[in-house]
Amino acid sequence: MKKTATILLCGLGLLAAVPAKADPARDAILKDYATAAGVTSFSAEAGKTLFQANHTGGKPDTPSCTTCHTTDPRQAGKSRVGKPIEPMAVSANASRFTDAAKVEKWFRRNCTSVLGRECTTEEKGNIITYLSSL
Protein backbone atom coordinates (compact mmCIF):
# COMPACT_ATOMS: atom_id res chain seq x y z
CA MET A 1 0.00 0.00 0.00
CA LYS A 2 2.77 2.43 0.97
CA LYS A 3 4.74 1.62 -2.19
CA THR A 4 1.65 2.20 -4.38
CA ALA A 5 0.98 5.57 -2.75
CA THR A 6 4.60 6.62 -3.26
CA ILE A 7 4.51 5.63 -6.94
CA LEU A 8 1.22 7.48 -7.41
CA LEU A 9 2.57 10.64 -5.77
CA CYS A 10 5.73 10.51 -7.85
CA GLY A 11 3.66 10.13 -11.00
CA LEU A 12 1.50 13.11 -10.07
CA GLY A 13 4.61 15.15 -9.40
CA LEU A 14 5.90 14.35 -12.87
CA LEU A 15 2.61 15.39 -14.43
CA ALA A 16 2.75 18.73 -12.64
CA ALA A 17 6.21 19.33 -14.11
CA VAL A 18 5.09 18.70 -17.69
CA PRO A 19 4.79 21.98 -19.60
CA ALA A 20 1.55 22.92 -21.31
CA LYS A 21 0.69 21.19 -24.56
CA ALA A 22 2.18 22.80 -27.63
CA ASP A 23 -0.13 24.74 -29.90
CA PRO A 24 0.69 25.37 -33.59
CA ALA A 25 -0.51 28.99 -33.43
CA ARG A 26 1.56 29.72 -30.29
CA ASP A 27 4.54 27.94 -31.81
CA ALA A 28 4.23 30.11 -34.94
CA ILE A 29 4.14 33.29 -32.86
CA LEU A 30 7.26 32.19 -30.97
CA LYS A 31 9.00 31.25 -34.22
CA ASP A 32 8.24 34.69 -35.67
CA TYR A 33 9.56 36.37 -32.51
CA ALA A 34 12.72 34.24 -32.61
CA THR A 35 13.34 35.17 -36.23
CA ALA A 36 12.76 38.87 -35.53
CA ALA A 37 14.98 38.79 -32.41
CA GLY A 38 17.71 36.77 -34.12
CA VAL A 39 17.66 34.04 -31.48
CA THR A 40 17.11 30.29 -31.61
CA SER A 41 15.32 29.95 -28.27
CA PHE A 42 13.84 31.93 -25.42
CA SER A 43 14.43 31.85 -21.67
CA ALA A 44 11.58 30.98 -19.31
CA GLU A 45 13.76 32.25 -16.44
CA ALA A 46 14.27 35.65 -18.12
CA GLY A 47 10.52 35.79 -18.80
CA LYS A 48 9.75 35.02 -15.15
CA THR A 49 12.18 37.69 -13.97
CA LEU A 50 10.65 40.32 -16.25
CA PHE A 51 7.09 39.29 -15.36
CA GLN A 52 7.67 39.40 -11.59
CA ALA A 53 9.99 42.40 -11.32
CA ASN A 54 8.95 45.89 -10.26
CA HIS A 55 9.73 48.49 -12.89
CA THR A 56 9.94 52.28 -12.66
CA GLY A 57 9.52 53.34 -16.30
CA GLY A 58 5.77 52.89 -16.64
CA LYS A 59 2.72 54.07 -14.76
CA PRO A 60 3.14 54.23 -10.98
CA ASP A 61 -0.01 52.15 -10.38
CA THR A 62 1.28 49.29 -12.57
CA PRO A 63 4.91 48.71 -11.55
CA SER A 64 4.79 44.99 -12.40
CA CYS A 65 2.90 42.49 -14.53
CA THR A 66 1.88 40.91 -11.24
CA THR A 67 -0.03 44.07 -10.29
CA CYS A 68 -2.95 42.84 -12.41
CA HIS A 69 -1.98 39.26 -13.25
CA THR A 70 -1.00 38.10 -9.70
CA THR A 71 2.23 36.43 -8.62
CA ASP A 72 0.74 33.08 -9.69
CA PRO A 73 -0.10 33.31 -13.39
CA ARG A 74 -2.17 30.13 -13.05
CA GLN A 75 -4.72 32.20 -11.12
CA ALA A 76 -7.15 34.80 -12.46
CA GLY A 77 -6.20 38.43 -12.05
CA LYS A 78 -8.01 41.76 -12.02
CA SER A 79 -7.54 44.93 -14.03
CA ARG A 80 -7.05 48.23 -12.22
CA VAL A 81 -10.80 48.87 -12.57
CA GLY A 82 -11.67 45.43 -11.16
CA LYS A 83 -12.43 43.63 -14.42
CA PRO A 84 -11.52 39.91 -14.22
CA ILE A 85 -8.51 38.72 -16.23
CA GLU A 86 -8.27 35.06 -17.18
CA PRO A 87 -5.10 33.24 -16.02
CA MET A 88 -1.97 33.99 -18.04
CA ALA A 89 -0.43 30.53 -17.68
CA VAL A 90 -1.06 28.34 -20.69
CA SER A 91 -1.71 25.37 -18.38
CA ALA A 92 -4.71 27.21 -16.92
CA ASN A 93 -5.83 28.90 -20.13
CA ALA A 94 -4.95 26.90 -23.26
CA SER A 95 -6.02 29.67 -25.64
CA ARG A 96 -3.36 32.07 -24.34
CA PHE A 97 -0.95 33.35 -26.98
CA THR A 98 -2.69 31.72 -29.94
CA ASP A 99 -3.95 34.86 -31.72
CA ALA A 100 -1.05 36.97 -33.01
CA ALA A 101 -3.09 40.18 -33.26
CA LYS A 102 -4.33 39.86 -29.67
CA VAL A 103 -0.85 39.01 -28.43
CA GLU A 104 0.58 42.13 -30.04
CA LYS A 105 -2.29 44.33 -28.82
CA TRP A 106 -1.91 43.26 -25.20
CA PHE A 107 1.89 43.31 -25.19
CA ARG A 108 1.85 46.83 -26.65
CA ARG A 109 -0.68 48.05 -24.07
CA ASN A 110 0.73 46.27 -21.03
CA CYS A 111 4.42 46.75 -21.71
CA THR A 112 3.84 50.48 -22.17
CA SER A 113 1.89 50.60 -18.90
CA VAL A 114 4.44 48.58 -16.89
CA LEU A 115 7.76 49.40 -18.57
CA GLY A 116 7.01 52.76 -20.15
CA ARG A 117 7.97 51.32 -23.54
CA GLU A 118 7.06 48.46 -25.82
CA CYS A 119 8.59 45.07 -25.05
CA THR A 120 11.31 43.83 -27.37
CA THR A 121 10.55 40.73 -29.43
CA GLU A 122 12.97 38.79 -27.23
CA GLU A 123 11.17 39.92 -24.07
CA LYS A 124 7.84 38.87 -25.59
CA GLY A 125 9.25 35.44 -26.47
CA ASN A 126 10.71 35.05 -22.99
CA ILE A 127 7.40 35.93 -21.31
CA ILE A 128 5.40 33.56 -23.52
CA THR A 129 7.97 30.83 -22.88
CA TYR A 130 7.71 31.40 -19.11
CA LEU A 131 3.90 31.41 -19.12
CA SER A 132 3.89 28.29 -21.30
CA SER A 133 6.16 26.48 -18.86
CA LEU A 134 3.79 26.68 -15.90
Side-chain angles (χ1 to χ4, degrees):
M1 175 73 172
K2 208 174 192 183
K3 187 175 182 179
T4 303
T6 302
I7 291 170
L8 179 61
L9 287 174
C10 288
L12 290 174
L14 289 173
L15 286 177
V18 174
K21 184 177 177 185
D23 182 280
R26 187 178 311 106
D27 293 345
I29 291 168
L30 284 170
K31 182 179 177 191
D32 289 346
Y33 284 161
T35 300
V39 300
T40 57
S41 64
F42 293 108
S43 166
E45 190 59 37
K48 178 181 180 179
T49 299
L50 182 63
F51 189 86
Q52 293 182 344
N54 283 321
H55 305 276
T56 58
K59 296 179 180 178
D61 57 340
T62 54
S64 175
C65 301
T66 63
T67 303
C68 297
H69 298 292
T70 80
T71 56
D72 182 356
R74 294 168 291 203
Q75 301 298 313
K78 265 188 195 169
S79 72
R80 292 176 304 186
V81 297
K83 186 177 176 183
I85 301 172
E86 294 294 320
M88 295 301 294
V90 171
S91 62
N93 186 352
S95 66
R96 276 287 179 216
F97 311 111
T98 58
D99 180 319
K102 283 184 182 179
V103 169
E104 279 301 304
K105 171 188 170 182
W106 288 108
F107 268 129
R108 186 171 40 260
R109 183 177 293 178
N110 292 333
C111 291
T112 301
S113 178
V114 172
L115 301 174
R117 62 173 174 79
E118 289 192 29
C119 286
T120 66
T121 52
E122 188 166 6
E123 288 169 331
K124 293 174 192 177
N126 288 339
I127 289 172
I128 293 173
T129 300
Y130 162 58
L131 294 171
S132 297
S133 73
L134 299 176

